[in-house]
Amino acid sequence: MKSDSVKKGMQQAPHRSLFHALGFTKEEMDKPLVGIVSSYNEIVPGHMNLDKIVEAVKQGVAMAGGVPVVFPAIAVCDGIAMGHIGMKYSLVTRDLIADSTECMAIAHAFDALVMVPNCDKNVPGLLMAAARVNVPTVFVSGGPMLAGHVHGKKRSLSSMFEAVGAYSAGNMTEEEVTNFENSVCPTCGSCSGMYTANSMNCLTEALGMGLRGNGTIPAVYSDRIALAKHAGMAVMELLKKDIKPRDIMTKEAFMNALTVDMALGCSTNSMLHLPAIAAEAGVEITPGLANEVSAKTPNLCHLAPAGPTYMEDLNEAGGVYAVMNELTKKNLLNLDVMTVTGKTMGENIKGAVNKDPEVIRPVENPYSETGGLAALKGNIAPDYGIVKRSAVVPEMLKHSGPARVFDCEEDAIAAIKGGKIVEGDVVVIRYEGPKGGPGMREMLNPTSAIAGMGLGSTVALITDGRFSGASRGASIGHISPEAAVGGPIALIKEGDIIDIDINACSLNVRVSDEELAARKAEWKPREPKVTSGYLARYAKMVTSGNRGAVLELK
């Protein structure tokens, strides 16, 4: 056992004395040491229940003959961090989580790990750590929130942000906004639509790193506690069989995850996180590859904000496995890949039934023949930009309009709420990329303001920042190269005509190559917005969005 390096032999007598200080018995020191990475905290609604999940995991590990030992991981609530300087600190935590988990796992020689994440950067950060540390590992999330109810209709956090936009447009009273405020987030759990947290928890199932139901069983269901116990037992089986994350997270597994991503209509953030996780596993995932998968994968689900269904509905309809079973009808998945059950994906999903064809469309009747995401390329984005195609109204799939250029999110929001953006405009928000932000802020506030003011079917938005999974409409993010490194988005001028064709995967500005070259010759880098602390170090090491905003030594 790996933990023998800190438990066995005369040289380890000092180590054992410290285990004695922890109250360990000789019997415990003869058993495998299983680290449980707990993301519990009291500020993130998706994490406030993780103490119960962790206790259940501990029971499962102990029942199966292991010694569970808990250590922490941080997490930021994107909703609370949204729209102010706090959002600069969201994406950057993904690497802090991966790094700190690596440190704890290797320094203490754990034999196996159970990861207990839930929210946006927490899940990919721990998946990155799992690939890096490469000891037997199982994931069990805290589960999604139940949908709220306003006027008899299911609602979620995206409704709340759009309500603020509606209030700014004079279409909703303060009392009505307060009614939404008190109703849209009724339970603990990751926010109830197919936003980033739920996208990544579902894709953890598709990757083979989580048990059935990891992505969809609601946080408040007792089934979630049972799932956590099974996760604790499962990791002991993986340890016996010596099945490690890199045995599971293969190129074929990532292709499965991309395929399920397209069928579910996941958050655009998945195209930041999947490449970053894959890189840790020695696999390359590119935006162009996503287009190849999207071209042959039908979009089967329109969960909020793309449609009126929520995570609880997906769970009742059969969950991720039911979606995957639909995809097998077109031979779109590799069923021979290994999973944390110790069985192949084909064995796992055999018999999974689609119980609600209104929530999970059959492959014969998809929402579209192509996937939920698209990577757009052109003279604005030579290295691609990403859009959630399944959340774009048909009339905005092809759009041309004048650029309304802003060099930060705050200026764009002021213009939108001030009535300065009109039908047909293309809002450009730049210098908000991984390096320029720094931290690549989510743009849920401006996209929600556009939707809330009734402009969602006539106004597009492009940015080198990113979008929340709660964003909808013609919102194109991850423009690469970003403005801070002199990408073409930095060269757009007010009034330039921008052409968007989402089905053709193109994004261009009507400016000649010669004019763009002349503008580039005049362009000068901006002074860094942050010059000290973690963000300054992050900005020096981070790559553009097309590479997953991974860190690399320069």
Side-chain angles (χ1 to χ4, degrees):
M1 291 188 293
K2 188 179 289 288
S3 62
D4 286 349
S5 64
V6 294
K7 296 187 304 186
K8 302 291 185 181
M10 182 54 64
Q11 291 298 317
Q12 280 64 46
H15 304 67
R16 289 194 296 274
S17 70
L18 293 168
F19 280 105
H20 287 306
L22 290 167
F24 272 54
T25 65
K26 182 181 183 303
E27 291 80 3
E28 285 176 304
M29 284 191 275
D30 287 336
K31 294 180 179 180
L33 205 59
V34 180
I36 301 173
V37 187
S38 171
S39 304
Y40 169 77
N41 64 49
E42 295 182 340
I43 188 64
V44 183
H47 290 224
M48 62 182 286
N49 65 319
L50 295 190
D51 54 341
K52 296 176 177 60
I53 303 297
V54 167
E55 285 302 313
V57 172
K58 288 174 69 176
Q59 290 180 47
V61 169
M63 283 191 288
V67 179
V69 182
V70 179
F71 64 89
I74 65 168
V76 163
C77 177
D78 276 21
I80 295 173
M82 193 72 66
H84 59 96
I85 192 173
M87 183 45 73
K88 294 179 184 289
Y89 286 87
S90 172
L91 178 61
V92 303
T93 64
R94 186 186 70 183
D95 297 274
L96 281 177
I97 291 163
D99 292 349
S100 60
T101 302
E102 173 194 356
C103 292
M104 289 293 288
I106 295 177
H108 300 103
F110 286 107
D111 296 300
L113 297 168
V114 180
M115 307 292 198
V116 187
N118 209 26
C119 289
D120 294 22
K121 311 311 166 302
N122 198 240
V123 181
L126 290 179
L127 282 165
M128 290 165 69
R132 217 183 275 178
V133 176
N134 203 37
V135 297
T137 302
V138 175
F139 276 68
V140 56
S141 77
M145 185 184 290
L146 293 179
H149 291 81
V150 182
H151 303 311
K153 293 183 178 180
K154 288 184 178 181
R155 300 289 187 179
S156 62
L157 185 64
S158 55
S159 306
M160 188 68 253
F161 279 89
E162 290 179 15
V164 175
Y167 175 79
S168 298
N171 297 327
M172 189 175 282
T173 66
E174 185 174 351
E175 182 180 4
E176 288 172 323
V177 173
T178 301
N179 186 25
F180 269 74
E181 179 183 332
N182 293 330
S183 304
V184 297
C185 295
T187 71
C188 62
S190 47
C191 296
S192 56
M194 188 53 81
Y195 309 150
T196 305
N198 293 325
S199 295
M200 294 310 302
N201 282 320
C202 287
L203 295 183
T204 299
E205 280 190 63
L207 267 176
M209 290 297 293
L211 300 177
R212 181 176 187 171
N214 179 69
T216 60
I217 297 172
V220 295
Y221 283 14
S222 297
D223 280 351
R224 177 65 56 178
I225 300 296
L227 180 72
K229 292 175 183 176
H230 285 298
M233 290 185 268
V235 82
M236 297 305 296
E237 282 299 309
L238 291 182
L239 185 57
K240 289 176 187 176
K241 296 176 179 177
D242 194 32
I243 298 173
K244 300 183 178 73
R246 288 182 207 164
D247 300 321
I248 295 170
M249 290 194 281
T250 61
K251 178 67 176 282
E252 293 76 16
F254 279 102
M255 294 301 290
N256 282 350
L258 272 175
T259 302
V260 174
D261 188 341
M262 299 304 169
L264 284 173
C266 290
S267 164
T268 52
N269 281 315
S270 65
M271 285 310 301
L272 276 179
H273 301 319
L274 285 177
I277 299 160
E280 296 287 354
V283 175
E284 185 180 14
I285 298 294
T286 65
L289 186 60
N291 274 350
E292 291 177 27
V293 173
S294 182
K296 60 184 179 181
T297 305
N299 178 225
L300 306 181
C301 299
H302 268 192
L303 292 122
T309 54
Y310 293 81
M311 295 306 296
E312 63 204 65
D313 302 313
L314 179 59
N315 187 63
E316 295 300 320
V320 175
Y321 278 17
V323 174
M324 295 182 79
N325 214 25
E326 285 289 341
L327 294 172
T328 63
K329 296 175 183 178
K330 295 189 74 172
N331 298 315
L332 292 173
L333 298 175
N334 185 314
L335 301 180
D336 296 327
V337 293
M338 182 50 59
T339 72
V340 292
T341 66
K343 299 177 181 178
T344 65
M345 186 61 77
E347 292 174 294
N348 287 349
I349 68 174
K350 185 178 181 180
V353 176
N354 180 358
K355 301 175 184 177
D356 191 339
E358 294 302 312
V359 177
I360 305 171
R361 289 275 187 95
V363 290
E364 301 84 8
N365 181 37
Y367 282 102
S368 66
E369 294 292 343
T370 52
L373 299 181
L376 311 189
K377 191 170 186 177
N379 65 358
I380 294 176
D383 295 332
Y384 294 99
I386 303 293
V387 64
K388 188 171 183 175
R389 175 165 44 194
S390 59
V392 180
V393 294
E395 55 266 37
M396 288 298 289
L397 290 171
K398 191 171 185 178
H399 177 80
S400 296
R404 305 300 308 280
V405 182
F406 305 94
D407 287 349
C408 68
E409 178 188 4
E410 289 83 357
D411 289 351
I413 292 172
I416 295 165
K417 292 186 175 179
K420 297 180 180 178
I421 302 301
V422 300
E423 291 186 7
D425 284 348
V426 178
V427 176
V428 177
I429 306 177
R430 61 193 182 189
Y431 293 100
E432 289 285 9
K435 190 178 293 290
M440 203 179 188
R441 288 195 285 182
E442 286 187 342
M443 301 291 166
L444 180 56
N445 271 353
T447 59
S448 297
I450 287 169
M453 297 184 77
L455 297 171
S457 61
T458 58
V459 170
L461 192 156
I462 69 171
T463 180
D464 53 8
R466 60 194 179 92
F467 296 109
S468 165
S471 293
R472 60 188 177 97
S475 304
I476 304 162
H478 309 192
I479 302 297
S480 300
E482 62 174 293
V485 298
I489 190 172
L491 311 178
I492 298 172
K493 292 184 177 181
E494 185 81 7
D496 284 347
I497 300 300
I498 292 176
D499 296 316
I500 300 167
D501 191 335
I502 292 173
N503 284 333
C505 297
S506 68
L507 177 64
N508 291 284
V509 59
R510 289 186 205 170
V511 175
S512 68
D513 292 345
E514 293 76 15
E515 173 62 17
L516 283 176
R519 293 182 187 182
K520 181 63 182 286
E522 295 176 359
W523 178 83
K524 294 180 181 178
R526 303 286 180 91
E527 288 296 319
K529 294 178 184 177
V530 180
T531 57
S532 63
Y534 178 56
L535 286 181
R537 298 197 303 276
Y538 180 89
K540 288 182 179 179
M541 297 176 67
V542 71
T543 62
S544 278
N546 67 302
R547 295 182 54 196
V550 296
L551 303 185
E552 63 180 21
L553 297 174
K554 302 297 183 182

